[in-house]
Amino acid sequence: MRFLERERATLAKLLPELDPALREVPLMELERPGSPGIRHFRDSGGPGLLVPEAHQGRGATALDALRVQRAIGSRSPSLAVATTMHHFSMATLVGLGDGLEWMLIEGVASSNRVLASGFAEGRSGAGTLDPSMTATVTADGIRINGVKRPCSLAHSMDVLTASVMIPREDGQGDELAVALVPAESEGLSVSGFWSSAFLAGAESEQVTLTDVLVPPELLLRTATTSGEQLDELQTAGLIWFETLMTGSYLGAASALVERVLLNDRIPEYERVRLFVETEAAMATAECVARRIDAGDLDESALAQALYVRYGVQDAIARVVPRAVELLGGLNFMTSDEVGHLAACANGLSLHPPARSRMTAQFSAYLADRPLAIA
């Protein structure tokens, strides 16, 4: 099977209109602010990718989703990174789905609504669902205040998902809940934050909530306090996040490798070397995706998702400079694409948790202590 053929075949099966639409748009147009990529994602049914078919979604497995993200990343790194955040939010909602919650999930999938993530996955020392915003209970629901930055999909989102602490209905302390905040809510505003030209198409801006009212029907209670069984959901969410983000950035690197493989003037041994290393990195990520599909979402799976992600970072750091060198100075000087892809592919190292901050945590884990996230 040819390079990226399996990934693009998976994308064609689940979202048949997306890849043809992306191919018609120049890379640098997809990567700029105001990119049409997110609109194509929405129009193709992408928001329902992880929702079961029984609930009007596309029913993708984790392995499917990993391959889809790599395929999208090879066309537009910005779109892959942005949509990973949507899928992270959707995977969290699906994990919470029980009874009436499925009505909300079906609504997102059937209407192709785009979710932005207001979860605290970027805060040092915080769980992925630990609140970064405050909530006050009122007679009409809750009012939320807080800031999320960067927040991908800030301009295109239909709904912002955010975790908050609220009193339990039985009056016994507080519990974590996930609030669904419509983008048109009074008090929700979007302002500039992302000033880099790289990944500018991901719409990673600042979202501010000022006394935003969320009615009870848009609040998903967990019935647990932070630190109880919700930790299982936090673990699952972080596994999804690391796996899909790994695939997205590997897609950006694969776009460069593909250019090398299609160039007959580059020696065969150089082309095969890049092919082998890139596919080996993908194979390790697929192992984590298969664990997700098997329902194996425990602490060891999270550890594997993290060390696979760091291993893929290293593979990207080797593959990308070599691909740029083999493509030559003329390609670099006559087009922004090679330099842009090279810069974007290195972005995986910037996502939490940073490897340098996980050294002590992994050392403790190797000594049979629980895995903590820095």
Side-chain angles (χ1 to χ4, degrees), residues 92-366:
T92 300
L93 294 184
V94 170
L96 283 169
D98 182 20
L100 293 177
E101 284 87 347
W102 281 111
M103 295 179 61
L104 295 171
I105 294 169
E106 286 183 1
V108 170
S110 63
S111 302
N112 285 322
R113 294 178 179 270
V114 172
L115 304 183
S117 171
F119 298 141
E121 79 283 343
R123 287 195 301 139
S124 176
T128 58
L129 295 184
D130 285 354
S132 60
M133 301 182 183
T134 60
T136 303
V137 178
T138 70
D140 299 320
I142 64 169
R143 289 196 177 273
I144 302 179
N145 288 274
V147 174
K148 177 61 168 39
R149 61 180 183 186
C151 181
S152 297
L153 301 167
H155 295 294
S156 296
M157 66 177 176
D158 297 296
V159 178
L160 176 72
T161 58
S163 57
V164 292
M165 290 294 296
I166 59 174
R168 293 171 60 105
E169 291 181 308
D170 60 10
Q172 302 299 311
D174 294 332
E175 67 179 337
L176 278 163
V178 176
L180 304 182
V181 185
E184 66 273 14
S185 297
E186 183 178 355
L188 186 153
S189 62
V190 177
S191 55
F193 176 76
W194 196 268
S195 58
S196 172
F198 302 109
L199 300 173
E203 300 182 355
S204 298
E205 307 295 358
Q206 175 173 311
V207 175
T208 303
L209 276 63
T210 305
D211 279 341
V212 174
L213 177 64
V214 178
E217 61 268 22
L218 295 181
L219 195 64
L220 305 183
R221 293 176 175 269
T222 66
T224 59
T225 60
S226 180
E228 291 185 0
Q229 73 181 55
L230 188 64
D231 286 344
E232 298 175 6
L233 187 61
Q234 293 175 331
T235 297
L238 190 52
I239 293 170
W240 274 101
F241 174 82
E242 296 296 337
T243 302
L244 297 186
M245 200 61 83
T246 295
S248 296
Y249 283 102
L250 192 55
S254 297
L256 284 170
V257 174
E258 185 175 37
R259 284 163 166 75
V260 173
L261 299 181
L262 294 174
N263 190 333
D264 291 338
R265 292 176 295 178
I266 295 174
E268 285 184 347
Y269 74 89
E270 293 283 12
R271 284 182 278 157
V272 170
R273 174 185 171 188
L274 290 186
F275 168 77
V276 168
E277 184 146 21
T278 307
E279 289 304 284
M282 182 61 177
T284 63
E286 288 186 345
C287 288
V288 181
R290 288 188 170 94
R291 288 189 72 167
I292 297 175
D293 289 332
D296 185 6
L297 294 168
D298 60 10
E299 184 182 68
S300 68
L302 175 56
Q304 184 181 18
L306 287 168
Y307 63 67
V308 163
R309 169 253 172 109
Y310 300 138
V312 172
Q313 280 179 208
D314 289 341
I316 289 174
R318 292 188 297 269
V319 164
V320 166
R322 189 58 179 155
V324 171
E325 181 180 353
L326 291 170
L327 288 169
L330 189 60
N331 276 281
F332 189 86
M333 290 182 288
T334 58
S335 171
D336 291 333
E337 292 188 0
V338 171
H340 181 85
L341 288 169
C344 288
N346 287 318
L348 182 57
S349 63
L350 304 179
H351 287 277
R355 175 165 39 190
S356 61
R357 297 185 62 86
M358 285 297 296
T359 301
Q361 285 74 9
F362 268 127
S363 179
Y365 179 68
L366 290 171

Side-chain angles (χ1 to χ4, degrees), residues 76-98:
S76 170
S78 288
L79 182 59
V81 170
T83 55
T84 289
M85 299 313 300
H86 167 89
H87 296 317
F88 167 56
S89 294
M90 185 57 77
T92 300
L93 294 184
V94 170
L96 283 169
D98 182 20

